[in-house]
Amino acid sequence: MSVWIGIGANQGDAVGYCRQGLAWLAQHPDLVLLSHSSFYRTQPVGPIKDQPWFINLVCRLACRLEPIELLELLQTFERRAGRNRTVQIPWGPRPLDLDLLFFHQRIIQAPNLKIPHPFLHLRRFVLRPLCDLDVGMPHPILDKTVDMLLKEVDDSQVVELIPGT
């Protein structure tokens, strides 16, 4: 099954952390990296504006794991990069953020996992790199493609392509 993962970082060598996260995903025996978007420099969203800008991208993987197993793996990689969710300020800086955006076209509404990601249609920093990979990919709940969602997103967030990535 194909899955789409959002990768982001805004602490330390943010581009390096994103590349490391991508490498960890690509090297896992139950995952195959199929493609990834360009890297983007993006303005922070949420209540904490006074923090470094983020580096964001999206990757598409073939996956043999169940959704909860994949979520646990993503959180393991985040911890390996130094992320500590128990002390991290919500919406605050982080060395690595790995978000499960889509798991094929499945819809999951569990207490600790919601797929598709519940905020992806509101985030330019997710939709722009998703469009690099598949502009016509449908959102299984909203019945719109990711390029339609990007055109409709109601934010003024700056999302800048990092050339050569």
Side-chain angles (χ1 to χ4, degrees):
M1 294 214 182
S2 287
V3 300
W4 288 260
I5 307 294
I7 302 174
N10 76 334
Q11 287 184 319
D13 176 9
V15 170
Y17 277 121
C18 288
R19 289 190 192 286
Q20 184 60 65
L22 193 58
W24 285 332
L25 291 166
Q27 293 165 0
H28 193 277
D30 291 316
L31 303 172
V32 176
L33 179 63
L34 301 174
S35 57
H36 70 82
S37 70
S38 294
F39 286 51
Y40 291 85
R41 184 175 174 267
T42 65
Q43 232 176 337
V45 296
I48 301 175
K49 303 294 185 200
D50 186 23
Q51 62 178 311
W53 282 36
F54 281 82
I55 302 300
N56 290 102
L57 71 142
V58 170
C59 69
R60 181 174 171 238
L61 302 151
C63 178
R64 290 191 297 259
L65 300 170
E66 288 300 314
I68 196 68
E69 293 173 312
L70 180 56
L71 176 65
E72 290 169 357
L73 179 66
L74 298 179
Q75 291 174 348
T76 297
F77 291 156
E78 289 176 342
R79 285 190 300 276
R80 190 182 294 170
R83 184 169 183 184
N84 184 342
R85 287 177 179 266
T86 58
V87 298
Q88 175 190 320
I89 299 166
W91 300 88
R94 60 207 86 152
L96 184 63
D97 188 26
L98 299 170
D99 287 331
L100 180 48
L101 304 173
F102 289 112
F103 195 98
H104 194 55
Q105 285 292 297
R106 288 176 64 178
I107 298 169
I108 299 171
Q109 299 296 320
N112 61 340
L113 179 61
K114 304 216 179 328
I115 300 174
H117 190 287
F119 301 118
L120 78 87
H121 65 288
L122 303 173
R123 295 177 170 169
R124 186 176 305 280
F125 72 88
V126 173
L127 293 168
R128 178 60 255 154
L130 265 172
C131 283
D132 283 359
L133 301 180
D134 187 354
V135 294
M137 186 172 65
H139 188 293
I141 295 174
L142 300 177
D143 197 31
K144 295 180 179 181
T145 61
V146 293
D147 64 324
M148 292 168 68
L149 294 171
L150 179 60
K151 290 174 187 165
E152 295 174 359
V153 71
D154 186 23
D155 75 20
S156 58
Q157 181 195 34
V158 176
V159 176
E160 303 171 339
L161 177 68
I162 298 174
T165 58

